[in-house]
Amino acid sequence: MSRHLKQSSRRRFLVGATGVMGAAGVVGVATPFVCSLAPNEKAKQVRAPIKVDVSKIEVGAMVTVAWNGLPIWILKRDKQSLLSLKKHEALLADPDSIDSIQPKNTKNTFRSVRSDIAVYIGLCTHLGCTPKYRPELSPIDLGENWHGGFFCPCHGSKFDLAGRVYKNVPAPTNLEIPPYRFIDNDLLEIGYREESEGV
Amino acid sequence: MFNALMNWFDQRLPILSFLRKHLSCYFVPKNLNFLYVFGIFALVMCFSQLITGIWLAMSYTPTTSEAFESIQYIMRDVNFGWLIRHMHTTGASFLFAILYVHIFKAMLYGSYQKPRELVWLFGWLLFALFSAEAFTGYLLPWGQMSYWGAQVITSLFEVIPFVGDSIAQWVRGDYTVSEITLKRFFALHVIGFPVLIGLLLFLHISSLHHVGSNNPKGVDIALKLDGKGKPLDAIPFHPYYTVKDLFYVLLMLGLFAAVVLYVPDFWGYFIESDNALPANILSTPDHIAPLWYFAPFYSILRAVTYPLFGIEARFWGAMLMYLSIFLLALLPWLDRSPVKSLRYKGKVSKFMFGLFVISFVSLGVCGVMAMNATALFIAQVSSLIYFSYFLLMPWFTKFEQCQNVPDRV
Ligand code: HEM
Ligand code: FES
């Protein structure tokens, strides 16, 4: 075959051109199939924000609601635990939330808009399990240095009550915070986005 | 009459010649042992998975609202649905157990070495495809383990710097595992991967038949031929090995039936108990572990807990996990030993292979356990051994003293 092809440069050119056109065709046909797998417009639509009344949540308790197929945690923290947040900063990987994802107005020590109410996306930043809420101090299974927080059963990541990740655990960053605002004193709206801000 | 008919066929489509070439005139070393039946076992289980799978697909619904229900329906209402489902779930675990022994055999006797590199590579691709097949299948019941297992494993793509999030979303078709993910996994599980597996099985076995089977002594039987060009140390596959294989296949199927009928969940190792709860997107089960056959690789993933070069630990964990599978493919080129079978390799090879098997088993044990400091430490040491086996192999196989290989089996 190749012996015959060598004979004429015209034939070689035609074979080459056909090959190039064929390759372009393959890429052209593959494109819709590859793109078809990406999230479609319907999946991308940000679903409507949800409202939650936080006045019913007891101090120290946490409720979980679903928003956009994600578990959202709403936690009411007491004064004591808020005060202790500063103390163990040396043990944290990203105490100032530099590398973590959160709306601008929650980039503070408490990682919240209102200091007592914390709102997080309840998925571990390691591989997306839901960590367990473990508010108690120094329980037997978690040891002396446990100041209350979240423990991920999947691969042992630890977060404090501000959702900040500890050092030397598999999770790289603090728990993500969804966009939210207080419409009213105790009425929380999760998923609210300002026009200009694409979080 | 019958012969005339067969001849008529053979002149148009050479079925008889084909069977002769691959059965009664296919010459196989006469010293193949028990470990050599596992390839046939794998074929038998593939067939069983295909049939039970088709029957399951007739009653299963791939939607988030009905998937879990439809499994309950299969278990309670469909005639013999419980049996067909348990054959399928047990079959998956059996298939992996069989594949691990089959790979062990190939490593023990150096069957991946020249001229069987392609046999080995096609086999390796089959293993990768079966892993994908098992992973997509596991999401279908839409139980707690299905959902969270898929969530964790698809998140593995997120660890790739910069483009990771987009890749993970492309795989899931959504921001988290959802009905879109369920439907595409269903399509891949019932059509996509099986077709590819069929193709690779064909390539695996044709390339094997082209070069012939290795044997426990690693002796090349093609070097000693009789007057007619038939290897002196070979016997025809049919009837010798067909009968031997059939006998062991029946034994294996007996064991299979016992597991299917008496302990289909195999105490939580073949069907995890948390998967009896429907998927709940708000809460992960307390103890999430992969099925036993992925445990060794999962252990390697978990073993890395330190960031390196400014890149987070989970990235390195995922990379090491992929690497651990990829290194297997390179085995034919990492092994520089002049002899095939471990029987005639040097002491270092024997010692390293022993360590390797132990490390693989302990990685598996750690992988199904909950995370704790001891398990983590054992997993780290075992990972180290696992990788050194491959990375040191070019040296220890080259410089060690081997024994003489006999020229007859
Ligand atoms: C469902 C998957 C598989 C099936 C059905 C299958 C089937 C077979 C069969 C029927 C044989 C001949 C009988 C024997 O030597 O046991 C064989 C040989 C072989 N297989 Fe597989 N195989 C599978 C997967 C694999 C995998 C995952 C590997 C390795 C990564 C592999 C590597 C080999 C090698 C190296 C041989 C030659 C053995 C020798 O000649 O000593 N196979 N396979
Ligand atoms: S998913 Fe939480 S530690 Fe891995």
Side-chain angles (χ1 to χ4, degrees), chain B residues 12-31:
Chain B
R12 283 150 188 84
L13 185 72
I15 301 178
L16 283 182
S17 326
F18 177 84
L19 289 181
R20 218 172 289 133
K21 182 172 170 212
H22 290 283
L23 293 171
S24 54
C25 292
Y26 176 63
F27 291 102
V28 189
K30 63 183 183 190
N31 62 335

Side-chain angles (χ1 to χ4, degrees), chain A residues 34 37 126 130 132 153 155, chain B residues 170 175 184 284 286 298 314:
Chain A
V34 171
L37 295 181
H126 179 222
T130 53
K132 304 284 163 205
H155 319 96
Chain B
W170 181 76
Y175 299 95
R184 69 176 52 176
T284 313
D286 276 343
Y298 187 68
R314 59 176 193 162

